[in-house]
Amino acid sequence: MFKVLKFIVISVVCLIIMGASVLYGFSSLFAPPNMDETLIPDAASQFYDINGNAIYTTLSEERRIPVTIDKIPKHVQRAFIAIEDNRFYEHGGIDYRGTARALLSTLSGHEVQGGSTITQQLAKNAFLTQERSIIRKIKEAFIAKELEHKYTKDEILTMYLNQIYFGQGAYGIESASMYYFNKHVQKSGYR
């Protein structure tokens, strides 16, 4: 009985994924109309002295100081890619192999694993809620597809690293580096 139920659940999920794949080609129709504006998160402003040293940082709703990709050392970029999405440069926003692995692990009762790519996580954090539902996952896939179409991998990685929450009120890699290590991310070691 359990095997039949498991087969039915897997079949339904596969049909949903196939249906979503058909609609995937129409992802631009599902993208938020203000995508570019929403991807610019609330951030603090900084004032610098003549030598380029920050002398004052304004308050903002979220403690965040965006940085460009050239300010984030390669080893930090590679570490996030290795942990969050080791096939980041190989997929178009959705890692079908990773999604299938996570789905099979969950359905078989094993440890729940993440199947979202960095692009999907950016889509969820910037445009959606943390709700766990198949509808949100489908929307996330459409938005991820549109992000991959519109931006380069480096731009997506930059937005992701400036968007994510690191705890203790620190949003983005620069704020986290300043909070936890008391130094700018670009000074976090070798390049």
Side-chain angles (χ1 to χ4, degrees):
M1 178 68 179
F2 178 73
K3 287 185 180 185
V4 172
L5 182 60
K6 187 175 172 181
F7 174 77
I8 291 170
V9 169
I10 290 173
S11 298
V12 168
V13 169
C14 288
L15 287 173
I16 290 170
I17 290 172
M18 288 189 314
S21 295
V22 169
L23 292 175
Y24 195 60
F26 301 104
S27 63
S28 62
L29 299 174
F30 296 97
N34 58 347
M35 181 177 278
D36 293 331
E37 294 170 19
T38 305
L39 286 169
I40 301 171
D42 184 36
S45 294
Q46 291 192 297
F47 297 92
Y48 296 89
D49 65 16
I50 198 164
N51 298 319
N53 300 314
I55 55 174
Y56 182 74
T57 302
T58 63
L59 295 177
S60 66
E61 203 172 302
E62 297 174 346
R63 186 173 6 144
R64 180 191 326 270
I65 304 167
V67 290
T68 56
I69 196 75
D70 62 312
K71 301 283 190 222
I72 304 169
K74 287 288 185 195
H75 70 277
V76 173
Q77 295 173 40
R78 286 190 296 264
F80 275 92
I81 290 168
I83 292 168
E84 296 294 334
D85 184 1
N86 64 348
R87 287 185 287 278
F88 177 64
Y89 289 105
E90 299 166 20
H91 60 68
I94 296 175
D95 181 0
Y96 294 104
R97 207 164 79 195
T99 301
R101 174 195 39 78
L103 180 63
L104 288 174
S105 178
T106 301
L107 290 176
S108 65
H110 293 100
E111 176 184 341
V112 175
Q113 298 179 4
S116 293
T117 64
I118 285 174
T119 312
Q120 287 175 284
Q121 291 178 53
L122 174 62
K124 176 181 68 176
N125 290 333
F127 302 105
L128 303 170
T129 66
Q130 300 297 317
E131 169 195 17
R132 292 179 144 243
S133 73
I134 192 74
I135 300 298
R136 189 205 33 99
K137 289 299 281 182
I138 291 170
K139 287 178 184 176
E140 181 182 292
F142 286 135
I143 295 169
K145 170 72 172 156
E146 188 62 18
L147 287 169
E148 289 277 342
H149 175 72
K150 197 167 188 177
Y151 301 101
T152 67
K153 288 289 190 177
D154 280 349
E155 289 171 328
I156 290 168
L157 183 61
T158 303
M159 289 183 275
Y160 171 76
L161 291 172
N162 282 310
Q163 181 79 245
I164 59 176
Y165 181 62
F166 286 92
Q168 301 301 314
Y171 289 84
I173 191 82
E174 175 70 0
S175 292
S177 184
M178 293 300 293
Y179 181 82
Y180 292 108
F181 306 111
N182 200 28
K183 61 171 122 175
H184 296 283
V185 70
Q186 72 187 60
K187 297 182 181 178
S188 64
Y190 66 90
R191 287 198 177 253

